[in-house]
Amino acid sequence: MIDFLTDSGTSAMSSNQWAGIMQGDESYAGSKSWERMESSIHELTGLPFVFPTHQGRAGERILYGYLGGEGKTFISNTHFDTTRANIEFSGAEAIDIPISEGTIPSLIHPFKGNMDLVKLEDLIKLKGAENIGGVILTVTNNSGGGQPVSMANAKGVSDICKKYNVNYFLDCCRIAENSYFVKHREKGFENHTYKQIAQEMFFLTDGAIMSAKKDALVNMGGFLALKNKELAEACKNLLIITEGFTTYGGLSGRDMEAIAIGLEEIFDANYLHYRIKSTAYLGERLHKMGIPLIMPIGGHAVYIDAKALYPHIPVEQYPGQALVCELYLTGGIRSVEIGSVMFGKYDEKGKLVPASMELVRLAIPRRVYTQSHIEFVVEVFEKLFENRKNVSGCMIIEEPKFLRHFTAKFNTVS
Ligand SMILES: Cc1ncc(COP(=O)(O)O)c(C=O)c1O
């Protein structure tokens, strides 16, 4: 009934975007729709080389596949699951270094998505700058609770990367939501527009990957934008081999029209205010009820601390997955585990190395749900909270090697 599985590709497109779709230019080369999309990305990012991709992970595969491989290391505030999978699939390693405040769910901090700058410099020295495939700042930090990154932190990352001549990329799929938090929480940005804040953040980077399914308000699409010509040439060839020609890269002309329009709509001050406040509304209602959450509430989702809600379920029995099932069975609400199902590993003896947090994400699609839907969700949580001591954990009965949470199968532990 209520689909909080993801905010990716689930936005309602505006009448303007639908009108743009009717005008899509489907020429293989030289499409006007591509020119519109490219110029809106140039204007926003200031990056000279832009490639369309069918979604975010296609850009990840091209860029991180090229820069990765055995012996390479990527460093991030938190790699998103597909980012990590693309890096590890290439043979490289992916290391997360969020600030320590970012891993304590109940702790209040304005920018819990920040990267630990001391650890960043230490890691670059330890691994050797020539072995760093790239440093990736994810804004907002999806796997770390949808928490924002400050401009000061982005500048700090950029300075360190410049000092060691290491590539610095932005995973910018929620750049507008991040800009909202910078304007309202960081000194010196009160009088900037949201778009100016985003432009300043892009200016610091060597490139950016966007899954347009989030802050470009479309159901499908993405892009890769780069500063360096040689790197762009290498990525261009990979794009043509696997995605499509440089003027569509896996997208239809109509999709590109909708992205160009969405990238403008997303910075509308009224929209962003509604978006961030309505997410916070759900979070604050659950917080008042006593549901343990990541605080403060992030931009696109409310994250429940399942380990704190179900302290009787050990991490080996995946408390987050148990909550996901409860939500669906009790209220028809879909959600997703962001904990040891998603990020857990096994050691040499096959013992689970758990994730740092056991979260459940209620991701809110953009421009879709009304307040009465949210009230219904709150009522379902009231029932869940009452019954919390009777819930059992889960065990995995089938799992693939990469991205296991997409297709793993579970049973209840009796
Ligand atoms: C932070 C982040 N990066 C990358 C991606 C991958 O994008 P896509 O699903 O379009 O491949 C996602 C998708 O949810 C994301 O949230």
Side-chain angles (χ1 to χ4, degrees):
M1 283 177 71
I2 303 276
D3 198 355
F4 286 169
L5 180 65
T6 179
D7 64 320
S8 180
T10 53
S11 304
M13 287 205 295
S14 67
S15 51
N16 251 343
Q17 286 177 296
W18 281 108
I21 282 198
M22 302 310 284
Q23 294 183 336
D25 175 355
E26 306 300 341
S27 314
Y28 191 101
S31 139
K32 291 215 160 30
S33 301
W34 162 240
E35 285 168 12
R36 279 197 66 183
M37 173 171 160
E38 188 189 28
S39 79
S40 70
I41 296 167
H42 274 316
E43 202 227 322
L44 177 61
T45 66
L47 293 162
F49 306 104
V50 181
F51 303 112
T53 59
H54 80 272
Q55 62 183 104
R57 70 197 69 179
E60 292 173 346
R61 177 177 46 76
I62 290 170
L63 183 63
Y64 305 142
Y66 179 73
L67 293 173
E70 290 293 332
K72 295 284 179 183
T73 299
F74 288 79
I75 306 169
S76 178
N77 46 349
T78 311
H79 293 87
F80 183 65
D81 59 355
T82 58
T83 321
R84 174 175 285 280
N86 272 298
I87 289 168
E88 290 178 350
F89 192 70
S90 82
E93 69 173 336
I95 301 179
D96 295 337
I97 48 164
I99 54 167
S100 57
E101 292 89 337
T103 60
I104 308 167
S106 58
L107 191 129
I108 303 285
H109 182 288
F111 291 105
K112 282 173 100 171
N114 283 354
M115 189 183 285
D116 187 322
L117 299 179
V118 176
K119 281 192 188 152
L120 174 61
E121 192 154 9
D122 287 351
L123 260 175
I124 295 176
K125 282 192 212 152
L126 180 77
K127 301 281 175 184
E130 68 285 3
N131 297 320
I132 305 295
V135 174
I136 305 162
L137 198 58
T138 310
V139 299
T140 56
N141 188 9
N142 185 4
S143 312
Q147 296 292 317
V149 174
S150 68
M151 190 68 79
N153 191 252
K155 279 197 178 115
V157 174
S158 166
D159 288 346
I160 295 172
C161 289
K162 282 202 178 87
K163 182 172 161 192
Y164 292 93
N165 198 19
V166 164
N167 279 316
Y168 163 37
F169 303 117
L170 207 59
D171 179 337
C172 65
C173 63
R174 297 182 181 85
I175 183 75
E177 291 171 3
N178 199 79
S179 301
Y180 182 94
F181 290 111
V182 170
K183 183 175 168 84
H184 295 279
R185 292 186 186 167
E186 190 165 357
K187 227 170 167 284
F189 293 93
E190 305 81 358
N191 299 322
H192 285 53
T193 64
Y194 297 116
K195 195 167 185 174
Q196 284 167 339
I197 294 171
Q199 284 166 325
E200 194 165 328
M201 213 168 247
F202 281 116
F203 179 72
L204 300 165
T205 68
D206 297 305
I209 289 182
M210 182 171 201
S211 165
K213 299 168 76 174
K214 286 81 171 174
D215 272 358
L217 295 166
V218 291
N219 307 118
M220 189 49 73
F223 67 80
L224 164 63
L226 295 167
K227 197 181 261 175
N228 178 284
K229 189 160 188 258
E230 267 169 49
L231 182 57
E233 278 300 314
C235 289
K236 181 158 86 180
N237 290 333
L238 292 171
L239 179 89
I240 298 171
I241 294 168
T242 59
E243 283 284 289
F245 190 57
T246 52
T247 56
Y248 69 89
L251 293 170
S252 308
R254 53 183 175 270
D255 295 330
M256 298 193 283
E257 285 286 340
I259 291 171
I261 297 166
L263 283 174
E264 277 161 29
E265 290 181 354
I266 197 74
F267 290 104
D268 180 283
N270 291 326
Y271 161 75
L272 270 178
H273 187 69
Y274 140 82
R275 167 71 174 159
I276 303 297
K277 290 290 172 195
S278 55
T279 306
Y281 176 81
L282 171 61
E284 278 152 19
R285 292 287 305 274
L286 299 186
H287 181 60
K288 266 195 200 125
M289 196 192 294
I291 305 282
L293 304 175
I294 289 208
M295 297 298 286
I297 307 300
H300 67 294
V302 174
Y303 290 72
I304 298 151
D305 179 358
K307 198 153 55 171
L309 181 67
Y310 298 144
H312 60 286
I313 303 181
V315 288
E316 291 75 16
Q317 292 179 13
Y318 307 109
Q321 193 62 29
L323 175 57
V324 166
C325 296
E326 281 301 295
L327 270 165
Y328 189 65
L329 292 171
T330 312
I333 300 168
R334 294 209 302 175
S335 58
V336 72
E337 194 258 18
I338 300 200
S340 292
V341 174
M342 193 179 269
F343 290 119
K345 302 248 175 232
Y346 297 111
D347 66 14
E348 321 75 62
K349 290 186 185 134
K351 193 173 168 341
L352 180 79
V353 182
S356 58
M357 295 189 274
E358 303 296 333
L359 305 175
V360 168
R361 184 186 72 178
L362 307 176
I364 323 260
R366 295 165 182 79
R367 306 193 291 208
V368 172
Y369 288 113
T370 64
Q371 182 151 1
S372 52
H373 293 106
I374 300 296
E375 298 301 338
F376 169 77
V377 175
V378 172
E379 283 167 28
V380 172
F381 267 96
E382 277 162 2
K383 285 193 193 145
L384 245 82
F385 194 58
E386 253 174 52
N387 188 43
R388 66 190 181 285
K389 294 194 176 121
N390 305 320
V391 174
S392 312
C394 300
M395 59 185 176
I396 296 180
I397 52 169
E398 235 182 87
E399 60 181 301
K401 191 159 175 244
F402 283 98
L403 291 172
R404 69 172 175 180
H405 54 289
F406 277 90
T407 51
K409 295 196 170 131
F410 299 88
N411 253 349
T412 307
V413 176
S414 44

